[in-house]
């Protein structure tokens, strides 16, 4: 049975969201709010911002089933016209050996498409199929959580108190 010992192929999924790309981007880069709306992040703190005021360095406590750790991440936010990408890479962790991920936000006819890509090396030998299943679950749940939060923010903006 094949085992994962290092970074391999990434896992990704795409979701269409009924929101403008700016709302989605604002939600994704609001890292310190993650514990309020994500089911997989229990604590988040941003330590540094880039020149544009986007997150650069942050620490997150992740509890996503098989993937549990305290992660120090380096972020990069790239904008190409109306498209945006928020990418991150692992700087330090207690257990994981490496982690790379990104949200790619692209305008669509009715909102935008968001593609979440993730690649995790758990630092221990693990059956590749199990690692891929864990990654797929993390990606799917993260997109579900993001879609709910984006919808909440859209509703809040449309109907302020």
């Amino acid at each position: 049975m094949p085992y994962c010992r290092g970074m391999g192929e990434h896992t990704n999924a795409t979701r269409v969201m009924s929101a403008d790309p700016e709302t989605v981007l604002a939600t994704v880069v609001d890292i310190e709010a993650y514990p309020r709306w994500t089911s997989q992040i229990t604590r988040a703190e941003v330590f540094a911002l880039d020149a544009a005021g986007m997150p650069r360095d942050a620490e997150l406590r992740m509890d996503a089933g098989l993937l549990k750790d305290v992660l120090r991440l380096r972020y990069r936010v790239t904008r190409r016209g109306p498209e945006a990408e928020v990418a991150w890479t692992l700087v330090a962790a207690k257990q994981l050996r490496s982690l790379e991920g990104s949200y790619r936000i692209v305008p669509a006819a009715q909102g935008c498409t968001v593609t979440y890509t993730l690649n995790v090396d758990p630092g221990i030998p693990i059956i590749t199929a199990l690692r891929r299943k864990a990654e797929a679950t993390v990606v799917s749940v993260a997109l579900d959580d993001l879609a709910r939060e984006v919808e909440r923010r859209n509703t809040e903006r449309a109907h302020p108190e």
Side-chain angles (χ1 to χ4, degrees), residues 28 31-32 52 61 63 72 83 87 97 106 131 142 155-156:
V28 170
I31 293 168
E32 290 183 336
R61 181 176 303 276
D63 186 351
R72 185 72 182 245
E83 296 183 15
R97 181 178 303 149
V106 178
R131 178 187 65 89
T155 301
E156 191 174 86

Side-chain angles (χ1 to χ4, degrees), residues 7 11 17 30 35 37 39 41 52 57 68 72 77 85 88 96 99 103 115 118 124 126 139 144 147 150 153 158:
M7 297 292 276
T11 299
M17 297 194 184
D30 189 4
W37 60 267
S39 57
I41 303 298
D57 294 305
K68 295 180 185 180
R72 185 72 182 245
V77 179
E85 181 178 63
W88 57 91
L96 297 183
L99 176 140
Y103 282 107
T115 301
L118 183 66
I124 58 170
I126 186 170
V139 167
D144 289 346
V150 165
R153 288 180 184 211

Side-chain angles (χ1 to χ4, degrees), residues 57-138:
D57 294 305
E59 184 175 278
L60 289 82
R61 181 176 303 276
M62 175 184 234
D63 186 351
L66 293 174
L67 301 175
K68 295 180 185 180
D69 210 339
V70 176
L71 313 171
R72 185 72 182 245
L73 302 174
R74 167 79 32 94
Y75 285 84
R76 184 185 77 252
V77 179
T78 307
R79 300 184 78 158
R80 290 174 225 82
E83 296 183 15
E85 181 178 63
V86 179
W88 57 91
T89 187
L90 185 68
V91 174
K94 292 183 178 185
Q95 297 174 13
L96 297 183
R97 181 178 303 149
S98 59
L99 176 140
E100 296 173 347
S102 68
Y103 282 107
R104 186 162 184 256
I105 305 161
V106 178
Q110 300 295 321
C112 63
T113 60
V114 179
T115 301
Y116 183 1
T117 301
L118 183 66
N119 191 348
V120 179
D121 179 351
I124 58 170
I126 186 170
I127 297 170
T128 301
L130 185 58
R131 178 187 65 89
R132 296 287 300 227
K133 183 171 175 53
E135 280 181 358
T137 299
V138 168

Side-chain angles (χ1 to χ4, degrees), residues 18-19 23 146-157:
S18 299
T23 299
L146 177 61
R148 273 192 298 280
E149 177 62 8
V150 165
E151 180 62 30
R152 186 195 68 75
R153 288 180 184 211
N154 272 341
T155 301
E156 191 174 86
R157 190 169 4 137

